[in-house]
């Protein structure tokens, strides 16, 4: 069986490629950068360079369709923000293979921080008080800005976020074309979770504390945590939406245990590294199984048309792959989970981005106790890049970093923004 992974610049895509390969699949990868991290992996049979979806959605979809036909792809699995463009073009792509994502409108409602806040009404975890800002006049009604966190409605990696500012920057002016939210600022422990869902049912998950971070942006050391409130909230939301695909959440936990959900990322995130292989492979079956035929260029996984089957993929409830990942010391077997019955237990070994950890041994301070704490964490962590079966990935990944650094210089934007600038979707109209 052949799977095509998109957004293969991400470490989660690398993890998925290895797990699909170990489960008997032939793995193909596509991205609009030339040297994504997956390109250096032995798990990938062939890499395809495709147009940037942000610069040309139609060209991007056409390129994927051509790859699917020429390589005989059975499953298309988006992993990063290109998922919005794939969801937009799913009707065409699902003529040729199974496409693992939900409706474009559903993904938008989760990605949009304002509409997401409305989705949490009445749930076990809710967003803090959230206000939509579309004009500078509304800022005066808020009062003290230090009581709020300000974020663009469409954003990621805490990009442009203003957390409890004593005053707002000069010229700060939300507009209908570029709305922001003001969300009541709550202090506490930051937590994150990732979930893979099918038909409103979670089949794989991982929750963590980002205990090492690049400023207020992405984490690079993912300490496993277990919270029943996280499990309950995620289960409620995916059931409410009958959701299929990747979905991830950011939270704040107050000292008294109160859990607030801040925002949603309907894509693969770092919690995937903690998810068990048996759960991640459950929606797709073993690599040797034959997927249902695509007949007449119109049918999807269960024989219904894309309009009747909006997620374009469905699961047989008993079709889990009952094996762990022998090449991954952090993965667990398919045993049941008391907190989430029937789902495999996530890994306990903290995944980490090894080179980022090595770059800052003084994260906890320039003192012996701080360095000792860093060393202990590093010693117990598991690098998501390195694998004994895939030893050249860390070295070849330097090409990816150099490509992003060059793009950052050319575009005159921060490195973290350059990493996804060509695949982001910020609410623009798509043709």
């Amino acid at each position: 069986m052949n799977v095509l992974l998109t957004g293969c610049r991400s470490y989660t895509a690398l993890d998925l490629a290895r797990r699909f390969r170990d489960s008997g699949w032939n793995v193909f990868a596509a991205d609009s950068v030339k040297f994504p991290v997956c390109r250096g992996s032995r798990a990938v049979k062939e890499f395809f360079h495709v147009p940037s979806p942000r610069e040309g959605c139609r060209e991007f979809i056409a390129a994927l369709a051509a790859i699917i036909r020429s390589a005989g792809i059975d499953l298309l699995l988006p992993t990063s923000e290109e998922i919005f463009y794939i969801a937009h073009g799913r009707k065409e792509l699902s003529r040729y293979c199974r496409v693992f994502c939900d409706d474009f409108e559903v993904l938008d409602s989760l990605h949009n921080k304002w509409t997401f806040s409305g989705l949490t009404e009445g749930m076990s975890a809710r967003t803090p008080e959230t206000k939509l800002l579309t004009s500078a006049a509304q800022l005066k009604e808020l009062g003290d800005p230090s009581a709020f966190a300000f974020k663009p409605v469409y954003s990621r990696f805490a990009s442009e976020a203003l957390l409890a500012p004593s005053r707002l920057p000069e010229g700060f002016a939300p507009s209908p074309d570029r709305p922001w939210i003001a969300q009541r600022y709550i202090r506490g422990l930051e937590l994150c979770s990732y979930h893979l869902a099918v038909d409103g049912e979670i089949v794989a998950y991982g929750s963590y504390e980002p205990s090492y971070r690049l400023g207020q942006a992405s984490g690079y050391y993912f300490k496993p945590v277990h919270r029943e409130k996280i499990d309950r909230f995620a289960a409620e939301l995916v059931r409410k939406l009958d959701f299929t695909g990747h979905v991830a959440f950011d939270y704040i936990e107050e000292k008294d245990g109160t859990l607030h959900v801040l925002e949603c990322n309907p894509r693969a995130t770092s919690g995937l590294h903690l998810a068990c292989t048996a759960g991640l492979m459950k929606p797709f079956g073993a690599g040797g199984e034959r997927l249902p035929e695509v007949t007449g260029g119109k049918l999807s996984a269960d024989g219904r048309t894309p309009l009747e089957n909006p997620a374009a993929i469905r699961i047989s409830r008993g079709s889990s792959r009952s094996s762990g990942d022998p090449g991954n010391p952090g993965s667990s077997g398919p045993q049941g989970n008391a907190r989430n019955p029937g789902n495999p237990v996530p890994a306990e070994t903290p995944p980490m981005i090894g080179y980022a950890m090595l770059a800052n041994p003084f994260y906890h301070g320039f003192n012996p106790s701080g360095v000792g704490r860093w060393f202990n964490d590093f010693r117990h962590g598991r690098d998501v890049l390195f694998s004994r079966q895939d030893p050249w990935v860390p070295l070849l990944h330097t090409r990816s970093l150099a490509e992003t650094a060059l793009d950052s210089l050319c575009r005159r934007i921060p490195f973290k923004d350059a990493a996804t600038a060509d695949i982001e979707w910020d609410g623009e109209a798509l043709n």
Side-chain angles (χ1 to χ4, degrees):
M1 303 301 295
N2 299 328
V3 58
L4 175 62
L5 301 178
T6 59
C8 60
R9 69 191 66 189
S10 70
Y11 304 142
T12 53
L14 174 66
D15 194 342
L16 281 171
R18 289 168 171 169
R19 300 203 206 199
F20 269 100
R21 185 269 315 274
D22 292 343
S23 298
W25 289 70
N26 296 315
V27 181
F28 298 81
D31 207 314
S32 50
V33 294
K34 293 181 179 178
F35 298 106
V37 65
C38 285
R39 188 169 183 175
S41 173
R42 291 178 176 175
V44 174
K45 183 174 182 178
E46 189 171 358
F47 167 74
F48 300 92
H49 183 230
V50 295
S52 162
R54 191 169 193 177
E55 296 173 6
C57 181
R58 290 182 180 179
E59 292 80 3
F60 173 69
I61 296 300
L64 292 181
I67 293 167
I68 291 166
R69 294 195 300 268
S70 65
I73 299 298
D74 301 290
L75 171 69
L76 171 60
L77 181 58
T79 66
S80 195
E81 282 208 20
E82 82 289 344
I83 192 171
F84 299 107
Y85 301 94
I86 288 175
H88 180 72
R90 191 186 63 206
K91 184 175 182 180
E92 176 182 349
L93 294 172
S94 61
R95 296 173 182 171
Y96 312 113
C97 73
R98 299 169 74 177
V99 181
F100 191 77
C101 69
D102 215 304
D103 284 338
F104 176 83
E105 292 76 16
V106 173
L107 298 179
D108 182 16
S109 71
L110 295 169
H111 184 40
N112 181 311
K113 292 177 174 55
W114 169 243
T115 55
F116 173 69
S117 69
L119 289 174
T120 68
E121 288 290 334
M123 293 194 171
S124 56
R126 294 176 55 185
T127 59
E129 176 193 3
T130 303
K131 299 179 181 294
L132 180 65
L133 303 176
T134 58
S135 70
Q138 293 173 293
L139 299 175
K140 298 178 182 179
E141 302 171 6
L142 290 177
D144 182 10
S146 66
F148 294 91
F150 297 84
K151 309 171 190 176
V153 162
Y154 292 104
S155 56
R156 74 285 299 152
F157 310 134
S159 176
E160 301 182 75
L162 304 171
L163 304 181
S166 57
R167 62 179 182 178
L168 293 169
E170 192 72 27
F172 178 72
S175 68
D177 292 334
R178 196 163 191 271
W180 286 58
I181 60 164
Q183 194 171 77
R184 183 68 63 179
Y185 185 68
I186 297 175
R187 288 174 172 81
L189 179 66
E190 297 181 45
L191 300 173
C192 305
S193 71
Y194 162 82
H195 311 267
L196 187 72
V198 180
D199 290 350
E201 199 174 287
I202 292 171
V203 295
Y205 64 100
S207 302
Y208 65 94
E209 175 191 347
S211 50
Y212 289 76
R213 302 183 64 166
L214 296 169
Q216 64 184 33
S218 302
Y220 54 89
Y221 192 94
F222 316 108
K223 179 182 177 182
V225 298
H226 302 291
R227 299 288 192 277
E228 289 186 7
K229 291 180 180 179
I230 287 179
D231 297 340
R232 188 182 310 123
F233 165 76
E236 287 173 357
L237 187 68
V238 300
R239 189 180 304 118
K240 177 180 180 178
L241 298 176
D242 193 28
F243 187 78
T244 291
H246 310 285
V247 66
F249 307 98
D250 295 336
Y251 311 86
I252 287 288
E253 183 183 59
E254 296 187 83
K255 288 184 179 180
D256 65 0
T258 302
L259 185 73
H260 305 270
V261 58
L262 302 181
E263 58 187 64
C264 175
N265 297 300
R267 54 180 169 80
T269 62
S270 300
L272 181 145
H273 301 306
L274 288 160
C276 182
T277 297
L280 287 175
M281 294 294 105
K282 185 177 180 180
F284 314 117
E289 293 178 358
R290 184 176 177 82
L291 292 176
E293 294 286 347
V294 176
T295 307
K298 295 189 183 293
L299 297 184
S300 299
D302 59 359
R304 289 181 286 171
T305 67
L307 291 177
E308 294 170 316
N309 179 12
I313 184 169
R314 289 295 183 260
I315 181 174
S316 298
R317 296 299 176 194
S319 64
S320 65
R321 180 162 176 82
S322 58
S323 65
D325 183 356
N328 182 344
S331 62
S332 307
Q335 63 266 38
N337 181 351
R339 293 175 293 102
N340 209 340
N343 287 342
V345 178
E348 295 297 325
T349 305
M352 66 178 178
I353 301 172
Y355 71 86
M357 283 290 288
L358 286 171
N360 191 6
F362 305 110
Y363 187 89
H364 298 291
F366 292 85
N367 55 71
S369 63
V371 174
R373 180 179 172 185
W374 166 86
F375 178 77
N376 186 64
D377 289 339
F378 182 81
R379 184 166 59 92
H380 288 98
R382 167 176 58 87
D383 189 4
V384 299
L385 283 174
F386 179 76
S387 165
R388 285 188 295 272
Q389 291 77 36
D390 213 5
W392 295 105
V393 168
L395 179 62
L396 295 176
H397 183 43
T398 56
R399 301 179 303 176
S400 311
L401 299 176
E403 184 177 16
T404 303
L406 180 60
D407 196 37
S408 172
L409 290 171
C410 293
R411 292 174 182 256
R412 297 184 180 180
I413 57 176
F415 182 90
K416 64 181 177 63
D417 294 341
T420 57
D422 59 321
I423 58 173
E424 293 171 359
W425 181 72
D426 289 335
E428 304 93 346
L430 298 177
N431 296 324

